[in-house]
């Protein structure tokens, strides 16, 4: 498949793409600094350079780059704020913190955020900004926004018109088109907010909520939405490496790899699909245009981050049945929902 190289320039700008690239580089610099200051500094200098270009070359990259239309943005101010925040964390230079707060305010003034501000993903990083800036500035407005985000996700509403509602089997979904991507991101967010004591000191209550949502994805409710794992996992996810037959069986064509109704030839392990509808129903159908069956880095990012946090904290059902998690467990059982009876579910 031809994959032509593309570039952003002053005449073909992409502020959103460049700003998020700068944020990623700066965050990587922070993450790796204890292992290699030289590599971290290289990342940071590139982040600063890309950030400067992002400010100079204003425009949305989907307008100029064809592939950008797959994940388009409608604003770049939240992305600029995110880049400035991470560069501030990496450098301590207050200029970047000032930039971050300025861009944050501009982002909100545009009202560009999703109709549901509790959907946290690549298009809306304002919730992440609230979480970071609450700790960096101590400003109550950011803390209040974090608390509102967490409260909305933990509020058990069954009305599908609510910003976040719960299915009969216990999945928290963002209205109106939330997927497991949003739920996984929210699970990670809730754990981080709780660990930083922004939402009170009851860490286990929040960690067990995250564990329950990840458990749903792994099959606690009877079906796994992670390829290669658990009960009745997805078998027909559109994914070239998994779908294509071995060379000694057939050439990889649309007919042999995509239009066939057979399961994938190879097992893609650990891919989170978009997930079920509002009634916990899901059809295993190889359709690239259907988010419910597709795997992506967007789906896996929050999922993997939450899993790492759960494993690091040794958060399992046995612990969640005790103390802070006991009431939630009783409610879950009363509703006839699945329970893993104390097993470490990531080792099952």
């Amino acid at each position: 498949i031809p994959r032509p190289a593309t570039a952003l320039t002053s005449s073909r700008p992409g502020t959103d793409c460049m700003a998020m690239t700068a944020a990623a580089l700066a965050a990587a610099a922070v993450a790796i600094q204890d292992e290699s200051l030289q590599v971290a500094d290289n990342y940071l200098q590139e982040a600063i350079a890309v950030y400067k270009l992002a400010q100079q070359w204003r425009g949305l990259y989907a307008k100029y780059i064809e592939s950008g239309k797959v994940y388009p943005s409608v604003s770049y101010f939240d992305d600029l704020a995110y880049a400035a925040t991470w560069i501030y964390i990496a450098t301590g230079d207050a200029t970047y913190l000032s930039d971050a707060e300025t861009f944050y305010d501009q982002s909100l003034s545009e009202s560009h955020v999703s109709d549901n501000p509790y959907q946290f993903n690549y298009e809306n990083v304002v919730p992440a900004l609230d979480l970071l800036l609450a700790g960096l500035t101590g400003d109550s407005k950011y803390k209040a926004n974090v608390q509102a985000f967490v409260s909305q996700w933990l509020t058990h509403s069954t009305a599908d018109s609510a910003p976040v509602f719960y299915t009969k089997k216990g999945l928290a979904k963002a209205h109106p088109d939330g997927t497991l991507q949003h739920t996984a991101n929210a699970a990670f967010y809730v754990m981080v907010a709780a660990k930083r004591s922004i939402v009170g000191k009851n860490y286990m209550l929040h960690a067990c909520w995250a564990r329950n949502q990840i458990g749903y994805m792994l099959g606690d409710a009877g079906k796994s939405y992670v390829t290669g794992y658990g009960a009745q996992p997805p078998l027909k996810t559109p994914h070239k490496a998994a779908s294509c037959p071995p060379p000694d069986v057939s050439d990889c064509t649309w007919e042999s790899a995509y239009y066939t109704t057979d399961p994938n030839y190879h097992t893609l392990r650990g891919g989170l699909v978009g997930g079920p509808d509002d009634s916990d129903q899901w059809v295993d159908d190889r359709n690239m245009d259907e988010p419910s069956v597709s795997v992506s880095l967007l789906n896996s990012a929050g999922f993997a981050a939450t899993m790492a946090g759960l494993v690091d904290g040794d958060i399992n059902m046995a612990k969640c049945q005790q103390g802070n998690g006991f009431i939630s467990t009783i409610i879950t059982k009363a509703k006839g929902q699945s329970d893993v009876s104390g097993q470490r579910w990531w080792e099952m």
Side-chain angles (χ1 to χ4, degrees), residues 113-335:
V113 181
S114 150
D115 291 338
N116 183 353
Y118 303 105
Q119 285 189 348
F120 165 40
N121 67 347
Y122 78 95
E123 171 49 23
N124 176 25
V125 296
V126 170
L129 287 167
D130 286 323
L131 189 56
L132 293 172
L133 292 173
L136 295 173
T137 69
D139 193 319
S140 60
K141 72 177 182 182
Y142 301 122
K143 183 177 180 179
N145 290 340
V146 173
Q147 292 171 338
F149 185 97
V150 171
S151 175
Q152 192 67 61
W153 276 91
L154 267 64
T155 298
H156 199 290
S157 172
T158 56
D160 58 11
S161 59
V164 177
F165 65 95
Y166 282 66
T167 67
K168 290 183 178 180
K169 292 186 177 181
L171 173 66
K173 294 193 70 176
H175 175 82
D177 54 357
T179 66
L180 294 182
Q181 172 194 148
H182 301 103
T183 306
N185 290 349
F188 175 61
Y189 191 100
V190 166
M191 289 192 70
V192 174
K195 194 167 187 177
R196 296 183 178 183
S197 299
I198 299 176
V199 289
K201 298 181 179 180
N202 199 335
Y203 175 71
M204 282 299 293
L205 174 68
H206 297 87
C208 287
W209 178 86
R211 178 256 167 261
N212 287 342
Q213 294 303 310
I214 295 298
Y216 180 103
M217 299 173 199
L218 290 169
D220 282 2
K223 173 169 184 52
S224 170
Y225 294 97
V226 179
T227 58
Y229 182 90
Q232 304 179 59
L235 299 175
K236 301 178 183 179
T237 300
H239 183 276
K240 183 177 180 181
S243 302
C244 284
D248 59 342
V249 173
S250 171
D251 292 335
C252 185
T253 64
W254 284 102
E255 287 71 24
S256 66
Y258 183 69
Y259 292 116
T260 176
T261 58
D262 294 333
N264 288 345
Y265 281 92
H266 308 285
T267 300
L268 172 68
R269 298 190 183 280
L272 179 68
V273 298
D277 62 18
D278 299 351
S279 301
D280 298 294
Q281 299 301 306
W282 185 82
V283 177
D284 195 358
D285 181 32
R286 192 178 291 107
N287 183 348
M288 291 191 299
D289 297 322
E290 177 51 63
S292 68
V293 300
S294 298
V295 293
S296 68
L297 292 177
L298 292 177
N299 290 356
S300 296
F303 176 71
T306 309
M307 290 275 285
L310 293 172
V311 172
D312 182 64
D314 196 27
I315 307 301
N316 54 59
M317 181 57 79
K319 288 184 176 180
C320 290
Q321 287 177 329
Q322 303 170 15
N324 297 327
F326 180 73
I327 295 177
S328 296
T329 300
I330 295 300
I331 292 174
T332 297
K333 288 184 176 181
K335 291 179 178 178

Side-chain angles (χ1 to χ4, degrees), residues 13-14 16 59-73:
D16 47 342
L60 298 171
Y61 88 119
K63 182 177 179 180
Y64 303 97
I65 305 298
E66 185 66 27
S67 59
K69 295 177 182 178
V70 178
Y71 300 111
S73 294

